[in-house]
Each structure stands twice: as structure tokens, then as C-alpha cells.
Amino acid sequence: MLNKLISNELSENTVLPLSSLHKIAIHPLREKLYNELHNRPFQSISSPAQLTHIAIQHQGELKQQEHDFISLLCNRFQVNSPAKSMPCFYQDFGLFSLRWERHLEYSTYTFIHQAPLTDQPFVKNAIDYVPSNWFEQMPGQVIAAVHLIIESENIDKAKTHKVEQFFDNMSLIASAPVHSQAKVWSSFKLHEDGFGRFLIYQEDLSPAQLGRLAQQLLQLDTYRLMATLGLPLAQAINSELNQLDIQLQQVTTYIALGTEKSDRELLTQVSKIAAKVEDYRSQSTYRFSATNAYYDVALQRMEELKEEEIPGYMTLQEFLMRRITPAVKTCQTASNHLEDISKRVTRASDLLRTRVEMVLQEQNQTLLKSMNHRAHVQMRLQQTVEGLSVAAISYYGMQLFETMLTSLPTLGVEYNHELVSGFAVPIVIGIVFVGTRLIHKRLMKGLK
């Protein structure tokens, strides 16, 4: 009934007045979560334009250095510097614009020059309008660097075959994204200036569509490099894991066949293998997880391109899938191999520990049997000693009794000394025996 009343009230007033909202407790992250959707908006780009995109790897560090670096450029052109907490920054500097984004382990600098070409494509690029003495101070290591040219032209078959000259006559990959409203060429290779190249010819795309297309291509180039960053590590680890695999196989064979090697030696060998495996896991776990994440994002960017095929060329998605997927699979294989060896090492350690525990149990059983035998012998000796003790105590008791008897004549008591002594012997022995048994029982009861 209460839910029905609430739903009726909400249907009558679907929008809460501002004063009512202020009376409700607001989640502290609500505004941040709203702003997160708009932290890295698509940049509107008018055609023609030239872009230079550089991705710098910083491993989550260099935050202060990056801020100082960008502030230096802003101060030079007398514009406002970005706040230290900003993950994305865009500023127009006249001849060029800068779009900067900071990610978890890398940052991107995209320089945009929106003007017609003064020469053939890739002769003069957006980076050429940036002060060189500032650019050379860029912190971090370059992981991706690419020039992107946007031109508004209609491309026919004759013009298409001349595109290779802009890529140093390298073999090209091309497609028609955005449902064939544009045509994109790239070689996905480094040229003499150390940059990759993208060439876009478009017909009727809006600045927003061009901005999205350019961002998708630049992100795709960055993500595919970040996705393959774990490949050299995977290849190095795989060769080492093969050796560890052989060593572990030998250890398990020794455990199964019971060779001359001692359990201590085998356990030491297994511990060394386990230490190496954990070292490799610590080096590679983050890198391989990041590889999978970047690969998923790269796949998403490929789908967003909505490519259509240009006759005679491989599409970007087809080319990258043929190249990136094996690299990512290699990283996944290395990661799975590590996990497999880690589990096998654990099982081998458990087997060895079980064997050691069984040996210890056998030794303990042997020791207990020996202790039981010793206790039995000790008990027999104790019983013998108790018998001797009864005899000794009885002897001394009779001596004391006879001493007492010798004093009786002085008291005027007449008796037969031999007869009284003879009858006293069994009585004294019985008393001593019963006394010792009572003491023995009391002691045993206290131990229990």
C-alpha cells in the first residue's frame, strides 16, 4: 500500500523541485560521477586539418613534471594553466591547439593545426608549429607518435592509387569508416621522422564526426601499441617457463619413482622453482592484465569505426586483428602457463610435505615403541626395586622391633624372645608391603 502511494505521488510530480532535492542526503561522489562522462569529450575538428598525436608512458608517475611542462607552454603564450587535478586539458594557442589527457600509465598530447596544407601531406605537420625548445623537454618515454591529415576531397580509383607516395610507397591498409563517408589510409609503420601516418579523405562529415573519427583512430593506434607492450615480456618468460617446466617434471618423477634423492633436496628444488614463478608473476601480472584491458578497448574502437571495405586493401580491423590477436594470445598463454606451473608447484610441495610427514610419523611411532619398551622395563625394575625396598624396610623394621623388645624385661615383662620375633616378621612385612602399595597408588592417582 505504501509503495502504491509513493508511485502515485512520483507520477504526479516526476521532477523534484530543487528545494526538495536539497533536503535529501546527496552522495558525495554524485557530482564526480556525472562529470566523469564529460572528462574527455570528443574534439570538434574542421576540415582540412593536421594532427600530431604523441603518447608518453609515465607508469603512473611524473604528474608534477607534466603539469610543469604544460604550464610552461601556457605561460609562454600567456594563457591559463590547467589545474593539477584535471585529467584532460584543451587550449587554443593560435597556430595550433593542444589536447592533453592523462591516463593510468600514459598521457597523450594531441597537437591540432586547422588549415589547408601548404605542401603535400606529411611534409609539414602540426608538430612543426609547436616551439621546438619546449617540445624537447617533454617528460616520459614515447610509446606512440603519429601524424594524421584530414582533407576534404572526393577520391576516385585513379587518385586512390597515388596515395602510396605519401607513405614512402609502403604497403597500405585502408577502409571506408563511418559508413563510407570517409576513407582512411595508413601503413602502421614508422617513417623516417619516427612517426606513423594516417590520411583521411572525407566528404560531408561534420566537425563533431571528424573529431570522433580522429580520436578513434588515434586511440586505436595507442591502444594497439599498449596491448602489445606485454609481448616481449611474455616471450622472455615463456622461454624461462619451459626450463622450469622441465625441472618441475623431473622433481615430480623423482617423487613418483622414489629415487636416491632425499626429500630435503627435492623440497629445496621445489622451493627454488616456486620462488622463480612468483618472481615472474610479480613482474607480469599487471602487464598481462593491462594487455587484456587495452585489447578489449582496441576491439571496441574498431567496432565504432563502422568500416566498409575498399577494394584491394585490407581494412584496419582485419589487419590489426591478424597482428594484435596473436600477440595478446601469447601474453594470455604465458599468464596461463604461469598459473599452471604455480598450481603444479603447490601440488608437488604438498606431496613432498606429505612424504616428510609420513616419515616423521613412522619415526615417531618407532620412538613411541622404544619409549613404551623402556617404560615397561623401567616398570619392571621399579617393581623389583619395590620388592627389595619392602625387604629392606621390613629388615630395619624388625631391628627396631627387637630393640623395643629388649627393653621389656626392665619393665618386668616376661616373654619368649624367639617366639615373639618369629611371629612379628610376617606382620612387619605385611605392614610394609601394604604401606608401599598405598603410597604407589596415591602417586599414580596424582599423575592421572
Side-chain angles (χ1 to χ4, degrees):
M1 185 65 180
L2 180 59
N3 292 335
K4 186 176 180 180
L5 290 173
I6 294 174
S7 63
N8 291 336
E9 291 181 5
L10 289 177
S11 62
E12 293 176 0
N13 300 303
T14 55
V15 180
L16 288 173
L18 187 60
S19 59
S20 300
L21 187 60
H22 283 176
K23 296 178 182 178
I24 304 174
I26 304 298
H27 194 282
L29 297 178
R30 178 175 180 267
E31 185 175 355
K32 183 178 180 180
L33 296 176
Y34 263 90
N35 293 334
E36 183 65 27
L37 294 175
H38 308 281
N39 274 341
R40 297 180 175 91
F42 293 108
Q43 193 67 44
S44 296
I45 300 176
S46 299
S47 179
Q50 301 91 52
L51 289 78
T52 296
H53 178 80
I54 299 175
I56 300 293
Q57 191 177 24
H58 51 61
Q59 302 291 353
E61 302 175 353
L62 306 179
K63 189 172 183 179
Q64 183 62 45
Q65 291 88 328
E66 281 191 322
H67 182 265
D68 294 341
F69 176 67
I70 298 173
S71 298
L72 183 64
L73 181 66
C74 293
N75 293 335
R76 182 168 182 170
F77 285 85
Q78 297 182 351
V79 297
N80 293 329
S81 302
K84 290 185 178 181
S85 59
M86 290 180 62
C88 181
F89 171 72
Y90 175 79
Q91 181 63 52
D92 187 356
F93 293 94
L95 288 177
F96 70 94
S97 301
L98 169 63
R99 178 185 174 88
W100 169 81
E101 294 182 14
R102 182 177 175 88
H103 297 266
L104 185 61
E105 59 175 333
Y106 71 93
S107 294
T108 59
Y109 297 80
T110 304
F111 304 96
I112 307 169
H113 176 69
Q114 302 187 73
L117 287 172
T118 58
D119 205 329
Q120 287 189 342
F122 306 113
V123 173
K124 189 172 181 62
N125 300 285
I127 195 66
D128 297 323
Y129 298 94
V130 178
S132 59
N133 57 354
W134 170 83
F135 175 74
E136 293 170 356
Q137 303 178 40
M138 182 177 291
Q141 296 179 326
V142 176
I143 187 67
V146 61
H147 296 308
L148 187 146
I149 302 295
I150 301 175
E151 287 292 311
S152 299
E153 293 188 24
N154 294 322
I155 303 300
D156 54 19
K157 291 184 178 179
K159 185 70 174 290
T160 300
H161 290 294
K162 297 179 181 179
V163 174
E164 282 81 358
Q165 63 180 322
F166 305 138
F167 293 86
D168 300 331
N169 294 317
M170 296 180 177
S171 57
L172 297 182
I173 296 90
S175 68
V178 200
H179 305 296
S180 295
Q181 296 185 62
K183 291 181 173 61
V184 178
W185 284 268
S186 180
S187 62
F188 286 105
K189 294 180 180 179
L190 297 179
H191 294 262
E192 293 181 355
D193 57 356
F195 287 80
R197 293 178 180 179
F198 280 105
L199 178 60
I200 301 176
Y201 285 106
Q202 63 88 27
E203 296 181 5
D204 298 318
L205 293 179
S206 66
Q209 289 176 310
L210 277 177
R212 287 195 295 270
L213 176 59
Q215 187 179 47
Q216 289 164 358
L217 291 173
L218 296 176
Q219 287 181 348
L220 179 59
D221 190 68
T222 302
Y223 286 132
R224 63 101 179 175
L225 288 170
M226 295 299 295
T228 55
L229 196 60
L231 179 60
L233 178 61
Q235 292 171 337
I237 287 179
N238 271 330
S239 61
E240 296 293 333
L241 291 182
N242 291 333
Q243 297 298 322
L244 292 180
D245 208 354
I246 295 174
Q247 295 178 19
L248 184 59
Q249 185 178 1
Q250 292 175 348
V251 171
T252 53
T253 302
Y254 291 149
I255 295 174
L257 299 180
T259 58
E260 68 279 0
K261 283 197 173 184
S262 65
D263 292 339
R264 182 185 295 274
E265 292 176 345
L266 294 177
L267 194 58
T268 301
Q269 192 171 355
V270 170
S271 299
K272 290 181 178 179
I273 296 174
K276 290 182 179 179
V277 170
E278 289 303 315
D279 181 44
Y280 293 145
R281 289 181 67 182
S282 65
Q283 295 179 34
S284 62
T285 298
Y286 172 77
R287 187 73 269 150
F288 291 160
S289 299
T291 291
N292 293 327
Y294 289 126
Y295 179 63
D296 291 339
V297 178
L299 293 179
Q300 183 184 5
R301 294 297 181 268
M302 293 179 198
E303 293 295 332
E304 291 174 353
L305 287 175
K306 300 180 177 64
E307 292 181 289
E308 294 184 7
E309 186 177 355
I310 294 179
Y313 295 93
M314 294 177 62
T315 63
L316 275 65
Q317 182 173 3
E318 183 181 3
F319 175 79
L320 291 177
M321 287 293 292
R322 289 167 59 90
R323 299 300 188 270
I324 299 178
T325 301
V328 174
K329 293 297 182 183
T330 301
C331 295
Q332 294 174 350
T333 300
S335 179
N336 294 335
H337 199 178
L338 270 174
E339 293 299 325
D340 177 65
I341 291 182
S342 179
K343 292 178 182 178
R344 289 169 55 199
V345 167
T346 301
R347 289 196 294 267
S349 299
D350 292 340
L351 287 174
L352 282 173
R353 289 192 182 95
T354 302
R355 284 183 53 175
V356 171
E357 289 177 358
M358 291 179 63
V359 171
L360 289 176
Q361 288 178 1
E362 291 177 357
Q363 293 176 350
N364 291 337
Q365 289 178 356
T366 303
L367 181 61
L368 287 174
K369 288 181 180 179
S370 176
M371 291 176 64
N372 288 335
H373 177 70
R374 291 179 182 177
H376 183 71
V377 172
Q378 187 176 3
M379 184 181 67
R380 291 297 184 186
L381 290 174
Q382 184 179 355
Q383 290 176 350
T384 302
V385 171
E386 285 180 358
L388 295 175
S389 299
V390 169
I393 294 173
S394 299
Y395 174 78
Y396 287 111
M398 285 299 302
Q399 293 296 323
L400 292 174
F401 182 72
E402 289 184 356
T403 302
M404 292 173 60
L405 289 177
T406 55
S407 63
L408 290 178
T410 59
L411 299 174
V413 178
E414 298 292 335
Y415 67 97
N416 189 334
H417 183 79
E418 288 78 6
L419 181 64
V420 173
S421 297
F423 277 103
V425 169
I427 295 173
V428 171
I429 293 175
I431 293 172
V432 172
F433 179 77
V434 171
T436 55
R437 295 305 300 172
L438 290 174
I439 294 173
H440 179 76
K441 288 182 179 180
R442 181 171 295 180
L443 290 173
M444 294 301 295
K445 184 177 181 181
L447 292 175
K448 293 180 180 179

